[in-house]
Amino acid sequence: TQSTWGNRDNSKLVLLVHARRHRMLVAANGSLLAVVAYIFFSVVFLFFNKTILSVYNFRYVELIGVCQRITAILFLVVLKKAKLLHYPDFQPSMAVKLIPLSIAHTIHFFLSVSSLQGVNLPMYGALRRTGIVFVMTAEYFLQRKVPSKDVIKSVLVIIFGVLIAALRDLNFDATAYSYVFIGNIATAVYFVCINKAKHDTGLPEIGLMFYSNFMSFPLLLLMATNAQVFQQLSSFPYIADSGFLCFFFIAILLSFIVNYFVFLNTGLNSARTQAVSSQMKHFFSMFFAFFVFADSKFDVLNIVGLGISFIGSVWYAKITFTTKEISSKQRDKVPVAVELHAHSHTAPTSVEDDGVTNSLPQSKKIEDPM
């Protein structure tokens, strides 16, 4: 009898280990896919936005925000009705809890788009790279996370590269620069708010995305009304231009896709990993900008600085994911032994019955292991 129970225990141990490894592999692949998809769609979205703002000289940022929110809400509602997406129905009590996220979402959007108007893409990317510092600062004050010494070193490399890249800017605009730096702070708070809201509310990424768009819509509509955007729109010279309308509506659609991957990437990884993904987006977009936009002029010093900053970003990402992998392995060892000890008394009939399905997602938290 003891031999029979021993064989069952060994079989359950094998099942537990294989189930955990499979889920860890799926989670790792999902995390990588989220990063790659976010970078690709963000680069395309950045070029469409830059074209609208700089080539067509469209200055009504609030209207862009209103159209983006309407599109996102419609897509989310239709996809939910079609049972392609699943998230809880709207609840006023939940909406109150997510007010900080909605405000951060609105400020993040307005400052990010506004700063893109007066800065060329290479310099925009260089200045936005400093956002990781604000993310780390926000995480420390809001979540009490202290970065390791290696993380601090990698971030210093990023900052050093940015300083070199920023030494040469022939299109300096103090107002645009201030928008970028304030936007970095807003972006940091926004990413951390996504992370914290998911942890506090238990909502899936799609649910957070719905609430964020739904509640930021009236804020942006109020801003557009206050700025008299709708009265001034009739005087915009390209309002009936097919080229502008094509760029505008594709950019609106891309905003929904990019926003989704922001939530997904932050949910599967961490706020700082999302910040690194943003920096890589700006690095890749820099090269294409020299061939597309007239305000982007090639400068060796700028390229060298961005290269150093990119190396720092890669170093930081390596530290983050390596630490995450080690932490996951350490968590993976203890529960198996505990569960096996429990099985010697209860002997469940399937892997799902022992709580692995519930416990594994809990061990794969949004928070950075550091």
Side-chain angles (χ1 to χ4, degrees), residues 21 29 31 36 45 60 109 122 161 185 227 236 260 267 294 320 328 356:
R21 287 178 178 176
N29 291 337
S31 299
V36 173
F45 179 54
Y60 309 113
F109 161 79
I185 299 175
F236 181 65
Y260 168 74
T320 300
S328 297
V356 174

Side-chain angles (χ1 to χ4, degrees), residues 276-296:
V276 171
S277 301
S278 298
Q279 313 318 317
M280 294 178 68
K281 168 191 68 177
H282 296 303
F283 179 82
F284 290 126
S285 65
M286 177 196 69
F287 293 101
F288 297 104
F290 289 119
F291 301 99
V292 177
F293 299 108
D295 63 350
S296 300

Side-chain angles (χ1 to χ4, degrees), residues 195-209:
N195 212 1
K196 190 174 186 301
K198 181 175 175 62
H199 179 266
D200 293 343
T201 64
L203 285 173
E205 286 80 11
I206 294 297
L208 291 174
M209 185 176 177

Side-chain angles (χ1 to χ4, degrees), residues 230-249:
F230 300 105
Q231 292 88 335
Q232 301 175 23
L233 192 60
S234 59
S235 62
F236 181 65
Y238 300 102
I239 190 64
D241 182 82
S242 59
F244 166 77
L245 293 176
C246 180
F247 272 91
F248 183 85
F249 286 113

Side-chain angles (χ1 to χ4, degrees), residues 117-268:
Q117 291 179 335
V119 182
N120 62 64
L121 279 183
M123 283 309 306
Y124 180 80
L127 296 172
R128 291 286 284 176
R129 287 179 188 276
T130 61
I132 190 171
V133 177
F134 297 104
V135 170
M136 293 172 61
T137 304
E139 285 187 329
Y140 174 77
F141 285 105
L142 295 179
Q143 297 176 305
R144 298 303 176 188
K145 293 182 181 178
V146 180
S148 66
K149 292 182 179 180
D150 286 338
V151 169
I152 295 176
K153 291 178 183 178
S154 64
V155 172
L156 289 177
V157 172
I158 294 175
I159 299 302
F160 177 68
V162 170
L163 291 176
I164 294 178
L167 286 177
R168 190 77 57 86
D169 184 10
L170 302 178
N171 301 312
F172 177 79
D173 187 330
T175 302
Y177 266 53
S178 63
Y179 268 94
V180 174
F181 285 116
I182 299 174
N184 284 343
I185 299 175
T187 300
V189 175
Y190 175 51
F191 287 157
V192 174
C193 281
I194 295 175
N195 212 1
K196 190 174 186 301
K198 181 175 175 62
H199 179 266
D200 293 343
T201 64
L203 285 173
E205 286 80 11
I206 294 297
L208 291 174
M209 185 176 177
F210 171 77
Y211 275 98
S212 182
N213 280 280
F214 184 84
M215 296 178 63
S216 62
F217 169 72
L219 296 177
L220 286 165
L221 183 61
L222 180 62
M223 292 171 62
T225 304
N226 186 60
Q228 298 183 339
V229 169
F230 300 105
Q231 292 88 335
Q232 301 175 23
L233 192 60
S234 59
S235 62
F236 181 65
Y238 300 102
I239 190 64
D241 182 82
S242 59
F244 166 77
L245 293 176
C246 180
F247 272 91
F248 183 85
F249 286 113
I250 292 178
I252 297 300
L253 178 61
L254 285 171
S255 70
F256 171 77
I257 298 174
V258 172
N259 200 22
Y260 168 74
F261 280 109
V262 167
F263 279 95
L264 185 62
N265 192 18
T266 306
L268 290 176

